[in-house]
């Protein structure tokens, strides 16, 4: 609960929402699904601005870019974007939480709450997602925050460029149970440049204490040695440590999870490693 909440606003206009959020005299924050905000019990929050009437819940594609409004619910991603990016977005959204939470929580709230190591956070990074933020002309690559932070600002949309040609994607994680939050996770996106030549991006969550580990590299099939750089330059002191996993475990398992994701992404466009019983098509 927000025990010191005194005002609730539900504006229909973005400028009005920003005016309310930027008032110096009363600490006002955006309310999306509220699943993270309400649980924080932050005594400093005195007013909320409900974003649900701002028309930020649309999904559309234009000029090869998929644009998701910040108020698109996680369950909407599951239901409507199963075909996008080989199903990576829908799978990651599905893994975020159970049905009840997914019906309320939004993509904008997830990113604003800084859920970098969450399944959706990892998948969006692998896909090269960018955020549209009020007061900022340039899109901001995820994960990232605008200079000066999000105070008094809103994420209005998340944009993803749709790639042409053969693109394979996959998400893998290790967790205590299949429905638990990941200890270490990886999303891989591979694009065929020409037959036997591919570009790859792998995003790994739960490895670095400071956030996601991103790795871009080229593949001359079947040489996947570019992935070796994933942990090569990591100082063990920089590895995440919490009740879910010790640093040495995370450092050891991250390359395994990343390789699984990479192999699965490759297999989806016909490049199967020998361990999976095939060769490139
Ligand atoms: C039972 C339960 C299970 C959960 N499981 C998980 C889990 O497994 N993994 C996980 O990562 N999270 C989990 N969460 C946390 C939470 O559901 C997610 O972080 C959720 O995606 C937040 O989205 P929301 O729309 O509810 O955000 P809100 O709670 O409304 O907002 C989150 C924060 O972002 C700000 N904000 C919201 N929208 C915007 C915007 N457009 N622009 C700027 N700022 C904004 C808010 O002011 C607030 O500070 C769980 C929560 C619950 C209650």
């Amino acid at each position: 609960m927000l025990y010191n909440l005194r005002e609730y606003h539900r504006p229909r206009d973005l400028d009005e929402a920003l005016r309310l959020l930027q008032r110096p005299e009363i600490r006002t924050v955006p309310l999306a699904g509220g699943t993270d905000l309400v649980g924080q019990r932050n005594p400093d929050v005195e007013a909320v601005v409900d974003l649900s009437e701002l028309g930020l819940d649309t999904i559309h594609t234009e000029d090869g870019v998929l644009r998701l409004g910040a108020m698109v619910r996680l369950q909407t991603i599951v239901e409507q974007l199963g075909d996008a990016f080989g199903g990576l977005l829908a799978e990651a959204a599905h893994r975020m939480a159970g049905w009840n939470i997914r019906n309320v929580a939004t993509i904008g709230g997830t990113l604003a709450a800084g859920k970098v190591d969450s399944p959706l956070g990892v998948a969006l990074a692998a896909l090269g997602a960018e955020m549209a933020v009020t007061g900022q002309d340039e899109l901001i690559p995820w994960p990232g925050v605008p200079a000066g932070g999000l105070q008094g600002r809103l994420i209005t949309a998340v944009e993803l460029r749709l790639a042409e040609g053969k693109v394979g994607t996959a998400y893998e994680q290790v967790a205590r149970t299949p429905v638990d939050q990941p200890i270490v996770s990886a999303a891989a996106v591979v694009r065929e440049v020409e037959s036997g030549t591919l570009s790859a991006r792998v995003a790994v969550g739960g490895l670095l204490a400071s956030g996601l580990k991103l790795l871009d590299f080229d593949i001359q099939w079947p040489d996947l040695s570019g992935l070796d750089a994933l942990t090569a330059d990591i100082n063990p002191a920089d590895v995440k440590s919490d009740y879910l996993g010790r640093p040495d475990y995370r450092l050891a398992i991250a390359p395994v999870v990343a390789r699984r994701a990479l192999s699965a992404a490759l297999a989806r466009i016909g490049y199967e490693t020998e361990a999976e019983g095939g060769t490139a098509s």
Side-chain angles (χ1 to χ4, degrees):
M1 294 296 289
L2 299 170
Y3 295 106
N4 293 322
L5 192 68
R6 293 191 278 129
E7 293 181 10
Y8 167 88
H9 301 270
R10 191 164 53 187
R12 292 172 169 269
D13 172 82
L14 189 59
D15 288 341
E16 174 63 359
L18 293 172
R19 187 192 68 76
L20 290 163
L21 287 167
Q22 289 165 3
R23 294 174 300 168
E25 70 279 9
I26 179 163
R27 170 85 167 117
T28 309
V29 299
L31 171 69
T35 62
D36 191 70
L37 179 67
V38 175
Q40 283 173 15
R41 303 179 178 204
N42 184 346
D44 297 337
V45 175
E46 297 173 287
V48 292
V49 174
D50 185 336
L51 310 181
S52 61
E53 297 289 324
L54 296 176
L56 299 178
D57 56 352
T58 58
I59 300 176
H60 69 270
T61 304
E62 194 176 326
D63 298 331
V65 173
L66 175 68
R67 186 176 170 93
L68 289 83
M71 287 297 286
V72 169
R73 312 279 169 186
L74 301 185
Q75 183 61 18
T76 305
I77 296 174
V78 173
E79 292 172 7
Q80 295 186 18
L81 294 178
D83 293 335
F85 306 106
L88 177 60
L89 265 188
E91 179 182 355
H94 188 268
R95 286 178 179 270
M96 285 294 292
W99 186 83
N100 286 320
I101 298 295
R102 293 200 306 270
N103 267 302
V104 181
T106 65
I107 187 168
T110 304
L111 302 197
K115 303 285 182 179
V116 287
D117 288 342
S118 70
L120 192 57
V122 171
L124 286 171
L127 290 167
E130 296 179 298
M131 299 177 287
V133 176
T134 56
Q136 181 110 9
D137 294 334
E138 310 267 303
L139 293 171
I140 298 166
W142 166 258
V145 285
L150 274 175
Q151 177 72 40
R153 290 169 163 182
L154 286 173
I155 298 171
T156 54
V158 176
E159 295 194 358
L160 295 146
R161 181 154 292 281
L162 299 161
E164 291 172 4
K166 286 168 95 173
V167 178
T169 63
Y171 174 87
E172 295 283 336
Q173 68 176 43
V174 286
R176 291 177 302 182
T177 72
V179 293
D180 204 357
Q181 57 182 298
I183 305 169
V184 171
S185 61
V189 177
V190 290
R191 294 186 173 86
E192 187 182 61
V193 179
E194 57 185 61
S195 183
T197 303
L198 304 104
S199 65
R201 166 171 271 215
V202 174
V204 177
L207 175 59
L208 295 179
S210 57
L212 293 177
K213 174 71 182 178
L214 292 175
L215 184 66
D216 292 296
F217 56 100
D218 296 326
I219 296 170
Q220 290 297 329
W221 180 258
D223 179 8
L224 304 184
S225 58
L227 192 58
D228 296 347
L230 185 75
T231 51
D233 61 347
I234 291 183
N235 182 340
D238 296 332
V239 177
K240 186 171 179 173
S241 178
D242 63 14
Y243 68 99
L244 285 173
R246 292 186 344 202
D248 54 342
Y249 174 73
R250 292 174 185 273
L251 204 48
I253 202 71
V256 178
V257 178
R259 194 175 180 99
R260 279 185 202 149
L262 181 64
S263 298
L266 285 162
R268 285 180 186 160
I269 52 171
Y271 290 85
E272 291 196 57
T273 55
E274 281 179 26
E276 286 158 332
T279 53
S281 62

